[in-house]
């Protein structure tokens, strides 16, 4: 395959994706399946026929990783409906701090579900919703509320332990079934944390003004409800940094399952575990579907030779 053909097939894929994105704007659930269709069309244009195998085979590289995200989503949503996040939020807003410090803590709180799942939507649908309503009730401008929730969800997605934007290209380039996302806790932290600190230092006073403690927040439950979060945090740190001392205990799915069970015991209020798990998975379903579609595109480009041709051209140009 020459470079012109590679660019042509790349253009076909991008054109199909662009068209369906415009035609089905507002129907995000349809975009991922249509990207799979774009892969089939690209293979047909390349003269390789109807290649259903490669289009469906690519997503299997993400099977293990998606289990991490799904288990994290179920766990984080249970913390939302059983009152743990509400209890934690009362602590976040109940103390007077400097604007920068308050912004830092508020962003971390909003981003907590995102850190657990690696996705932004998990934060938007839970802690972001709580914080956004509270800030609007306090009289904050809507644009600033949107900014706080957006930055919180974004930083939650970028901070470790899980980060879908890093997981997708990292695993796709490995060529293994299933792919692994291990050893990235510190690199992600080093990249994301300075951005969070700088943002809070620069935007804290502009967005929050002089923060006043709110002692009128309804307080339910006790600090016992934080035990599941604490246990999960310890297990995650041990999994990432003490793996040479501690036997392998199942990775993130098992860690989040332990947290899920503990959250049913140590809670502020009752919650249906099945409904919580289903709702949590629903919040991240679109993002996960897009990851699977992305994997399908990568496998299709491997099949038709686009990735190989572009890699060869980059090698010739001396680009590492």
């Amino acid at each position: 395959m020459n470079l012109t053909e590679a660019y042509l097939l790349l253009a076909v894929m991008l054109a199909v994706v662009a068209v369906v994105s415009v035609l089905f704007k507002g129907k995000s659930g349809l975009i991922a399946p249509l990207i799979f269709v774009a892969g089939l069309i690209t293979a047909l244009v390349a003269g390789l026929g109807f290649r259903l195998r490669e289009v469906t085979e690519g997503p299997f590289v993400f099977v293990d990783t998606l289990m991490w995200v799904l288990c994290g989503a179920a766990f984080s949503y249970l913390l939302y409906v059983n009152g743990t996040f509400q209890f934690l939020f009362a602590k976040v807003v109940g103390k007077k701090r400097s604007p920068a410090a308050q912004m830092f803590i508020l962003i971390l709180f909003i981003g907590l579900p995102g850190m657990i799942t690696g996705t932004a939507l998990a934060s938007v649908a839970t802690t972001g919703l709580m914080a956004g309503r509270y800030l609007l009730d306090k009289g904050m401008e809507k644009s600033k509320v949107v900014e706080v929730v957006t930055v919180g969800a974004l930083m939650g997605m970028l901070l470790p332990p899980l980060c879908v934007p890093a997981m997708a290209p990292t695993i796709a380039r490995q060529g293994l079934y299933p792919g692994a996302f291990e050893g990235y806790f510190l690199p992600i932290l080093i990249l994301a944390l300075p951005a969070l600190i700088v943002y809070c230092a620069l935007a804290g006073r502009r967005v929050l003004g002089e923060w006043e403690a709110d002692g009128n927040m309804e307080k339910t439950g006790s600090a016992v409800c934080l035990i599941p979060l604490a246990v999960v945090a310890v297990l995650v740190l041990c999994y990432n940094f003490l793996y040479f001392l501690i036997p392998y205990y199942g990775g993130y799915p098992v860690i989040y399952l332990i947290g899920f069970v503990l959250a049913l015991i140590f809670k502020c209020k009752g919650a249906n575990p099945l409904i919580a798990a289903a709702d949590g998975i629903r919040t991240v379903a679109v993002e996960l579907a897009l990851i699977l579609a992305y994997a399908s595109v990568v496998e299709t480009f491997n099949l038709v030779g686009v990735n190989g041709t572009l890699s060869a051209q980059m090698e010739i140009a001396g680009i590492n």
Side-chain angles (χ1 to χ4, degrees):
M1 173 181 288
N2 59 44
L3 192 58
T4 301
E5 292 172 329
Y7 283 141
L8 177 61
L9 291 175
L10 183 60
V12 169
M13 173 69 78
L14 294 177
V16 174
V17 173
V19 169
V20 300
S21 297
V22 172
L23 292 178
F24 296 94
K25 184 179 180 181
K27 299 179 180 179
S28 56
L30 294 176
I31 294 178
L34 290 171
I35 293 177
F36 282 93
V37 174
L40 294 173
I41 293 173
T42 302
L44 284 171
V45 173
L48 296 176
F50 187 77
R51 300 301 293 248
L52 186 61
R53 173 188 168 182
E54 284 77 13
V55 171
T56 56
E57 187 179 68
F60 280 93
V61 75
F62 287 99
V63 168
D64 277 11
T65 309
L66 295 190
M67 282 299 297
W68 300 357
V69 178
L70 291 173
C71 292
F75 171 57
S76 62
Y77 204 88
L78 180 60
L79 295 180
Y80 173 61
V81 297
N82 79 353
T84 299
F85 284 154
Q86 288 88 333
F87 176 84
L88 197 57
F89 187 59
K91 299 297 182 183
V92 169
V93 301
K95 186 176 180 181
K96 181 176 175 60
R97 304 179 183 89
S98 68
Q102 183 61 43
M103 178 65 85
F104 184 81
I105 294 174
L106 185 59
I107 293 297
L108 284 182
F109 169 77
I110 295 174
L112 188 56
M115 298 177 214
I116 294 172
T117 63
T119 71
L121 287 179
S123 287
V124 173
T126 55
T127 50
L129 188 62
M130 292 170 52
R133 286 174 174 171
Y134 174 80
L135 294 174
L136 285 174
D137 290 341
K138 283 196 68 174
M140 181 180 287
E141 296 176 23
K142 187 176 181 179
S143 59
K144 292 182 178 180
V145 173
V146 172
E147 177 181 341
V148 172
V149 174
T150 301
V151 172
L154 175 64
M155 295 311 303
M157 178 177 66
L158 296 179
L159 286 167
L162 300 186
C163 173
V164 165
M167 291 157 68
T170 300
I171 295 173
R173 287 181 60 85
Q174 291 175 4
L176 304 173
Y177 287 86
F181 186 75
E182 307 287 357
Y184 292 93
F185 190 104
L186 273 182
I188 293 173
L189 184 65
I190 292 171
L191 289 173
L193 187 59
L196 172 59
I197 294 173
V198 170
Y199 171 78
C200 294
L202 296 178
R205 188 172 300 277
R206 173 181 61 83
V207 176
L208 297 181
E210 289 298 330
W211 183 267
E212 297 293 335
D214 187 350
N216 297 323
M217 279 286 294
E218 181 182 355
K219 296 181 176 64
T220 58
S222 67
V224 172
C225 69
L226 299 179
I227 289 177
L229 264 179
V231 170
V232 166
V234 170
L235 291 176
V236 167
L237 291 174
C238 291
Y239 177 72
N240 282 279
F241 298 106
L242 299 178
Y243 52 86
F244 53 91
L245 295 175
I246 301 175
Y248 178 74
Y249 44 78
Y252 289 102
V254 173
I255 292 173
Y256 291 146
L257 179 60
I258 292 172
F260 190 90
V261 173
L262 290 176
L264 294 175
I265 301 170
F266 303 104
K267 57 191 177 181
C268 294
K269 57 185 179 181
N272 186 311
L274 296 179
I275 294 177
D279 288 342
I281 291 171
R282 192 178 296 115
T283 61
V284 301
V286 172
E287 287 183 89
L288 296 189
L290 290 174
I291 292 175
L292 296 178
Y294 162 78
S296 174
V297 169
V298 171
E299 189 70 15
T300 301
F301 282 160
N302 287 336
L303 167 70
V304 301
V306 170
N307 286 343
T309 302
L310 294 180
S311 297
Q313 292 297 321
M314 291 172 67
E315 185 71 24
I316 294 171
I319 301 174
N320 188 355

